[in-house]
């Protein structure tokens, strides 16, 4: 509109820091609207909208995370498949020695007191209360 202003003047009017104004101008320069002349900008409706830069950055981050998650899921499924094949071949060979075997529990009568044993004070019962 024929008015040349400094960034500091605009920052005072809109009550934003000069760095914020510069950032917004840089973001605007990356849009299709910035390629238009002043007359075109005032008269032409581009018909397309653009998301704010924060949304674009969030979309990019989410897309990157999705791709990373897909890679991890592929690795996990390949590992799972390999483990299942190994277990199947071990069971088919009846060689279960390499598979985990829980220890067998055999109660030792010397380490467990009788259910109604005599306590230290000579009374019978289930122990101290």
């Amino acid at each position: 509109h024929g008015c040349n202003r400094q960034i500091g003047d605009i920052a005072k009017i809109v009550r934003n820091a000069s760095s914020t104004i510069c950032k917004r101008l840089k973001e605007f320069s990356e849009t299709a609207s910035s390629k238009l002349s002043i007359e075109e900008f005032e008269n032409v409706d581009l018909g397309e909208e653009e998301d704010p830069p924060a949304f674009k950055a969030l979309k990019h981050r989410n897309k990157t995370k999705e791709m990373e998650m897909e890679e991890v899921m592929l690795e996990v499924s390949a590992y799972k498949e390999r483990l299942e094949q190994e277990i199947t071949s071990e069971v088919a060979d009846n060689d279960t020695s390499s598979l985990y075997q829980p220890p067998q529990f055999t109660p030792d009568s010397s380490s467990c007191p009788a259910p109604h044993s005599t306590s230290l004070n000579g009374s019978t019962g289930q122990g101290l209360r």
Side-chain angles (χ1 to χ4, degrees):
H1 297 316
C3 299
N4 292 328
R5 299 284 181 238
Q6 297 293 319
I7 293 177
D9 297 336
I10 296 170
K12 287 177 187 173
I13 292 170
V14 296
R15 296 183 182 191
N16 276 323
S18 297
S19 60
T20 304
I21 303 296
C22 290
K23 184 177 180 181
R24 299 296 172 249
L25 288 171
K26 181 179 181 274
E27 291 169 353
F28 178 76
S29 71
E30 297 170 0
T31 65
S33 297
S34 69
K35 312 290 187 274
L36 302 175
S37 68
I38 294 174
E39 294 82 29
E40 291 172 332
F41 183 80
E42 291 176 351
N43 298 323
V44 174
D45 182 21
L46 289 178
E48 78 181 55
E49 298 176 359
E50 291 201 27
D51 288 331
F55 286 3
K56 288 180 185 178
L58 182 63
K59 280 183 185 179
H60 179 70
R61 274 194 305 257
N62 286 343
K63 204 177 267 189
T64 303
K65 284 183 181 180
E66 282 180 22
M67 291 172 55
E68 289 173 357
M69 185 60 81
E70 287 176 15
E71 288 177 20
V72 168
M73 292 303 291
L74 287 173
E75 287 179 32
V76 167
S77 64
Y79 185 68
K80 178 184 173 189
E81 212 173 283
R82 193 171 65 221
L83 283 174
E84 287 174 350
Q85 288 174 353
E86 286 180 23
I87 290 171
T88 303
S89 68
E90 291 284 333
V91 170
D93 295 342
N94 288 331
D95 180 20
T96 59
S97 61
S98 64
L99 297 177
Y100 172 74
Q101 298 290 328
Q104 296 296 322
F105 178 73
T106 55
D108 183 14
S109 60
S110 64
S111 64
C112 298
H116 295 287
S117 64
T118 305
S119 66
L120 295 175
N121 63 8
S123 66
T124 59
Q126 295 180 349
L128 298 175
R129 294 184 189 223

